Amino acid sequence: WFQADAPIEDAWTLPDSTHLRIVGQPMPDGGLVFVAEDRSEQLALSATRDTLLRTRTATFDSLFEALAVFAPDGKLQVWNRTFAATWGVTEELLDTHPGADKLVEAIAPNLSRPRRASSVGETIRSATLDRKERAGRLSMADGRTLEFAGVPLPDGNGLLTALDVTANEQAETALRERNQALEAADQVKTRFLANMSYELSLIHI
């Protein structure tokens, strides 16, 4: 190290798990400046951060909802594995971390009413810039129904969630149709009994 032509840097791990950054700086007079920096706390914080990121990613991917986080400038930051399939966009597009406007353009053709895609962009802007929650419902061209919402996050980003509620809507529709059928049957029954009562009264007379 004394004879080196340039500074030398190395990482040492001591038996007590202390992590040192070692720098040896040769001097013109033949001496050596030896610097030891304790990086144990920095590495521990970095490891904790990596663990939290992995945990967040695993949590995102385990949820049924399609989730995506947008920065204040509208750029897509992170998303879970169901996001692309839910909205009908490609993973290649998401890997470019598109802005909200570009994402809305990609979503529009997949809607039964493409013009309503603007409501997704407005929801993202509401969550990131206005810091307000906003929700809506869209019908997809393939017959699915999505409920979506934008939620402002404490770090200044915005969260976009989407859930396929097609089955729930079909069940609600079936219940409404059944209630309408029961009401119609009850009206028929009422008219029938009224007519029978009238005819029986005529026979009695």
Side-chain angles (χ1 to χ4, degrees), residues 88-146:
V89 296
T90 64
E91 288 286 351
E92 289 74 15
L93 172 65
L94 301 182
D95 288 339
T96 65
H97 297 273
D101 292 341
K102 188 173 182 179
L103 182 64
V104 168
E105 290 178 4
I107 289 173
N110 302 322
L111 304 182
S112 60
R113 297 170 60 188
R115 291 185 178 180
R116 293 209 58 201
S118 61
S119 62
V120 178
E122 293 168 0
T123 298
I124 295 172
R125 281 189 289 273
S126 178
T128 54
L129 297 180
D130 301 335
R131 312 300 298 158
K132 295 180 180 179
E133 293 187 15
R134 182 169 179 161
R137 176 178 285 201
L138 289 173
S139 297
M140 306 298 287
D142 59 7
R144 291 178 298 127
T145 300
L146 299 183

Side-chain angles (χ1 to χ4, degrees), residues 64-66 86-87 145-149 161-166 168:
F64 290 108
E65 294 91 345
T86 298
W87 289 106
T145 300
L146 299 183
E147 282 189 350
F148 63 95
T161 70
L163 182 64
D164 188 339
V165 295
T166 307
N168 293 344

Side-chain angles (χ1 to χ4, degrees), residues 55-87:
T55 301
R56 184 179 68 174
T57 300
T59 302
F60 264 34
D61 286 339
S62 66
L63 297 175
F64 290 108
E65 294 91 345
L67 303 175
V69 176
F70 292 83
D73 62 0
K75 282 194 174 182
L76 178 64
Q77 298 295 306
V78 293
W79 58 93
N80 66 349
R81 68 180 66 181
T82 61
F83 187 82
T86 298
W87 289 106

Side-chain angles (χ1 to χ4, degrees), residues 161-180:
T161 70
L163 182 64
D164 188 339
V165 295
T166 307
N168 293 344
E169 188 173 70
Q170 290 174 345
E172 292 174 2
T173 301
L175 286 174
R176 283 196 299 268
E177 292 176 349
R178 182 185 176 193
N179 287 336
Q180 292 172 357

